[in-house]
Amino acid sequence: MMMVACAEKKEVPSPEREVEVEDPVTGIMSLRDINIEDTVTVEGREYRYACTMHSVDSLPAVINPQGVQYRECSVNISVARGEENVFKKTFVKKDFAAYVPEDFMKSSTLVGVNYNHIKADDHSALYFIITLGDPDETSELSCSVELKVASNGSYTIKKAQNIETAPISTGLNVDPKEGDA
């Protein structure tokens, strides 16, 4: 009896692993929200950062190369030192137009954001990686830019070269044991 009950049990996907959500009315896909917060030390001082990415209904939808419509996304990054807000800015795809080919811009959106944990050549600033790409989770088409935030709040953007980020969710960087498929 117990085996029958287990066999009939449907596995519900974990919300952590859910990448896309379809609007039942419009059929437009949205990427799941990303929220990352942590504390890091830069030049001997402690900083708290927050990165968020979410879909934006007020921007036109993007049509990816497979013909699927996706909501545009925005990324918000804030950095604080104690009670002082050092940096806070919301980015949208057009903010990175100088770093991404024009034809790629038409069919891509912001698909990821993370703190660049290891920056071998410079530990005097906070580095973030913002990724633009085809929102389809099976696509590998992407382009990453690096946002460098100095301790005084000034920032620069360039095409990403040295990317070392932590996983969005713990355990994503661990291979499953053989036979756990």
Side-chain angles (χ1 to χ4, degrees):
M1 186 68 123
M2 193 90 151
M3 282 181 26
V4 172
C6 289
E8 292 176 7
K9 183 179 177 184
K10 292 185 179 179
E11 198 170 307
V12 177
S14 166
E16 292 176 12
R17 301 283 186 177
E18 188 175 336
V19 176
E20 302 172 342
V21 179
E22 183 176 359
D23 183 315
V25 175
T26 65
I28 298 175
M29 303 296 285
S30 294
L31 296 178
R32 72 173 174 88
D33 292 350
I34 296 174
N35 295 297
I36 303 168
E37 294 184 25
D38 203 357
T39 303
V40 295
T41 301
V42 175
E43 294 180 327
R45 298 185 77 180
E46 190 173 271
Y47 290 82
R48 178 127 189 104
Y49 69 82
C51 305
T52 60
M53 184 186 88
H54 63 276
S55 297
V56 180
D57 295 340
S58 62
L59 293 173
V62 170
I63 301 174
N64 77 345
Q66 295 82 17
V68 179
Q69 285 190 314
Y70 284 86
R71 296 237 182 268
E72 281 280 10
C73 292
S74 68
V75 166
N76 181 280
I77 297 178
S78 60
V79 176
R81 182 177 50 234
E83 296 298 315
E84 177 188 2
N85 289 322
V86 175
F87 178 83
K88 185 172 183 171
K89 183 158 176 59
T90 299
F91 296 94
V92 293
K93 178 174 68 174
K94 70 179 180 178
D95 294 318
F96 307 109
Y99 310 96
V100 179
E102 186 178 337
D103 59 333
F104 185 72
M105 288 286 288
K106 292 176 185 173
S107 62
S108 66
T109 187
L110 300 178
V111 294
V113 60
N114 212 332
Y115 182 77
N116 193 352
H117 285 277
I118 300 170
K119 183 66 179 174
D121 61 345
D122 187 352
H123 292 282
S124 65
L126 290 89
Y127 291 86
F128 300 90
I129 300 299
I130 301 170
T131 304
L132 292 88
D134 180 342
D136 185 315
E137 66 182 273
T138 63
S139 175
E140 294 183 10
L141 297 174
S142 68
C143 180
S144 295
V145 294
E146 177 183 82
L147 170 69
K148 176 182 177 181
V149 178
S151 59
N152 67 1
S154 64
Y155 71 95
T156 57
I157 299 170
K158 69 178 188 176
K159 205 164 194 180
Q161 300 296 321
N162 183 9
I163 302 173
E164 294 289 339
T165 59
I168 291 173
S169 176
T170 56
L172 292 180
N173 61 339
V174 178
D175 288 334
K177 292 179 184 172
E178 192 172 284
D180 283 357

